[in-house]
Amino acid sequence: MGQSLLLSLRSTCTRLAVGATIVRDKRIIAGGYNGSVSGDVHCIDEGCYLVDNHCVRTIHAEMNAILQCAKFGVETDQAEIYVTHFPCLQCTKMIIQAGIKKIVYLKDYHNNDYALRLIEQAGVEVEQVILSKKYFAEIQFGDDLEAMD
């Protein structure tokens, strides 16, 4: 989870900084953070591009990590994903389709009922972790550190 927190610091979205790390056989195989498509402008530079109160400019951290695996031919079947925030519905569907069998997350974030049902139906294990802030004293993670005691 520490790696995902560090990745979230690279986020270029001003609304929410998210990081994701994919692990298989106890080895990190990919990481991602939420940001713009390569070559496009970033939210930190021009603001979020909102449609229905959702930034459509941003590729989510989970998607970036899974796409990194696809780009470089790295297998995700039976892997685990560590995410700073509970995945949205679209990322949940992508995680399931990628064969990832465990989601470990730090913060609840609009946990979608349908996503939860899909996770259960697919037999994906879900674990919320609580981290002591003593391990992340130097990381600026907004109000989220308050919930880590």
Side-chain angles (χ1 to χ4, degrees), residues 1 3 5-7 10-11 22 36 42 47 58 65 79 85 87 92 95 99 106 109 119-121 129 145-146:
M1 188 57 72
Q3 179 71 28
L5 284 166
L6 289 172
L7 284 166
R10 294 194 44 89
S11 172
I22 301 176
S36 299
H42 296 278
T58 301
H85 295 74
T92 297
I95 288 166
L106 185 59
Y109 184 73
I119 287 168
E120 182 179 343
Q121 180 180 306
V129 295
L145 281 178
E146 300 298 321

Side-chain angles (χ1 to χ4, degrees), residues 1 26 30 33 36 38-39 52 54 69 71-72 74 84 93 96 101 103 105 107 121 126-127 133-135 140-141 144:
M1 188 57 72
K26 299 183 181 181
Y33 54 89
S36 299
S38 297
D52 296 329
H54 186 78
C69 289
K71 183 175 182 177
F72 295 108
V74 177
T84 57
K93 292 190 287 187
I96 292 168
K101 291 299 179 190
I103 300 168
Y105 73 99
K107 294 283 293 178
Q121 180 180 306
V126 177
E127 179 184 352
K133 66 176 153 181
K134 72 179 182 177
Y135 297 110
Q140 297 297 316
F141 199 59
D144 292 343

Side-chain angles (χ1 to χ4, degrees), residues 8-112:
S8 75
L9 297 175
R10 294 194 44 89
S11 172
T12 60
C13 183
T14 57
R15 294 170 49 107
L16 184 68
V18 180
T21 305
I22 301 176
V23 174
R24 193 180 71 241
D25 299 326
K26 299 183 181 181
R27 292 179 183 259
I28 294 172
I29 59 172
Y33 54 89
N34 54 334
S36 299
V37 173
S38 297
D40 195 14
V41 297
H42 296 278
C43 298
I44 58 174
D45 297 325
E46 293 193 13
C48 291
Y49 179 18
L50 298 179
V51 175
D52 296 329
N53 203 31
H54 186 78
C55 182
V56 297
R57 176 176 283 139
T58 301
I59 298 175
H60 292 186
E62 304 93 323
M63 185 183 299
N64 265 327
I66 291 170
L67 289 170
Q68 183 180 17
C69 289
K71 183 175 182 177
F72 295 108
V74 177
E75 186 177 336
T76 56
D77 195 45
Q78 302 300 310
E80 302 175 357
I81 189 165
Y82 293 78
V83 191
T84 57
H85 295 74
F86 189 85
C88 72
L89 176 58
Q90 296 304 319
C91 286
T92 297
K93 292 190 287 187
M94 185 176 292
I95 288 166
I96 292 168
Q97 287 299 99
I100 294 172
K101 291 299 179 190
K102 184 172 183 180
I103 300 168
V104 181
Y105 73 99
L106 185 59
K107 294 283 293 178
D108 286 318
Y109 184 73
H110 304 296
N111 300 26
N112 182 283

